[in-house]
Amino acid sequence: MDAESGPGMGSAKGAGTDSGTEPSGAGPTPTAETSPGTDPTPTPTAPDPRAPHRPLRRALTALSLVLLLLVLALLTAEGALRVNYSGEPAPGTRTRGQDALWLGHAWVDGRKGEADVRELAGRLRGTGVRDLYVHSGPLEDDGTLPDADYPKARWLIGALHRELPEVRVQAWLGDVVASEGPKGLRLERPATRSAILASTRRILAAGFQGAHFDLEPLHSGDRDYLTLLDGLHTLTRAHHALLSVAAHQIDPLPGFHSFWGATTGHPKWWSQAYFGQVARRVDQIAVMSYDTMQPLPSLYGGYVAQQTSLALEVTPGSTQLLMGLPFYHENRFGHWARAETVPAAVRGVRLGLSRTDARRARFGVALYVDFAATDADWRAYREGWVE
């Protein structure tokens, strides 16, 4: 109720007699305003028109503070990456002859021929490339792999070995994991894991010297993936073949995958401990060190240096560690071609290797991907890493 409509304070009339004379000794009749010992009735006050907006203001202030803290944290992290890109790589931090190249599906479905093999061999001679991951899938969502997906595999393996006897040819098998949606591989199902093992037996029987798996998105801590790798490694060892995997990046800050997963629904990163668990179960682990959301070459290179160090710290010496180089030039969320360059990545790899384990023998880079690579990419790889 506002003050204008509230009860008024009317003046009391005098208590006169019928004759209009006042009683002897009587003074004026006291009113509420003049009666001794009586508090006046309080006048209602108008509500503060700002009151309904105060909770909103508080919320906006809190949000602004959170955003400010996030911006400061981001600037601090980016500054650290820029510093991480400084300095000079140690002498000797170049190829160990254990690099790898991802090859597209055209090599096993009939689109490539003898002339293409000779051209590829000429490109690879004198480099450090030892392993070729040839896309031979993808796996079906139940883990099966039709033989019709790689009809020219035997021809390709024979042709490559004639041109490059030392190169190992592995089958690159991938699929979406149903970790963030209804479709994809369900690794928690024993039947799915058994089907993947059976598919691996068939590709090894076709002549491949290893199996390279790229299953995404895999959340940090996924125990079913570790169970699958245990079974796969037992199988590949029995066939004297390699087990190789493409791995997610490692938390740039402790627990960052949990924060990112809670805010976006896609954790993206692995904890360093989980990366180590995967690395101990395979012969080769290749970090997909691209699609990093970094806007500048110096920041991207500093990020790669950090990832290289983090991976080296938990990868056993018996496992070959490879850092991915971006041989592609898309522009989309998470990847700017102007920032994620081969020279920046190579320098970052060398800096991380220099600071963490400069003499690591089982180490290399992995080039993604042959069909998008330019002459400039190959030249930067040779000049920065090989020569």
Side-chain angles (χ1 to χ4, degrees), residues 80-88 297-303 305 341 343-345 347-348 351 355:
L81 293 181
R82 181 62 186 87
V83 171
N84 212 30
Y85 194 59
S86 62
E88 290 300 323
S298 59
L299 299 179
Y300 171 61
Y303 184 91
T341 66
R347 176 175 167 79
L351 286 168
R355 294 166 182 156

Side-chain angles (χ1 to χ4, degrees), residues 244-273:
S244 173
V245 295
H248 290 243
Q249 297 158 30
I250 300 172
D251 280 334
L253 297 171
F256 197 69
H257 71 278
S258 298
F259 164 76
W260 197 258
T263 54
T264 69
H266 174 55
K268 183 178 172 66
W269 291 270
W270 285 352
S271 72
Q272 190 183 34

Side-chain angles (χ1 to χ4, degrees), residues 306-356:
Q306 181 201 46
Q307 288 292 308
T308 303
S309 293
L310 291 171
L312 283 167
E313 289 171 355
V314 293
T315 302
S318 58
T319 299
Q320 181 182 346
L321 172 64
L322 301 107
M323 302 303 298
L325 302 186
F327 272 42
Y328 65 104
H329 302 273
E330 299 175 4
N331 285 291
R332 50 182 169 76
F333 178 76
H335 176 81
W336 285 281
R338 69 178 186 275
E340 297 194 4
T341 66
V342 175
V346 168
R347 176 175 167 79
V349 169
R350 293 188 64 202
L351 286 168
L353 183 62
S354 300
R355 294 166 182 156
T356 312

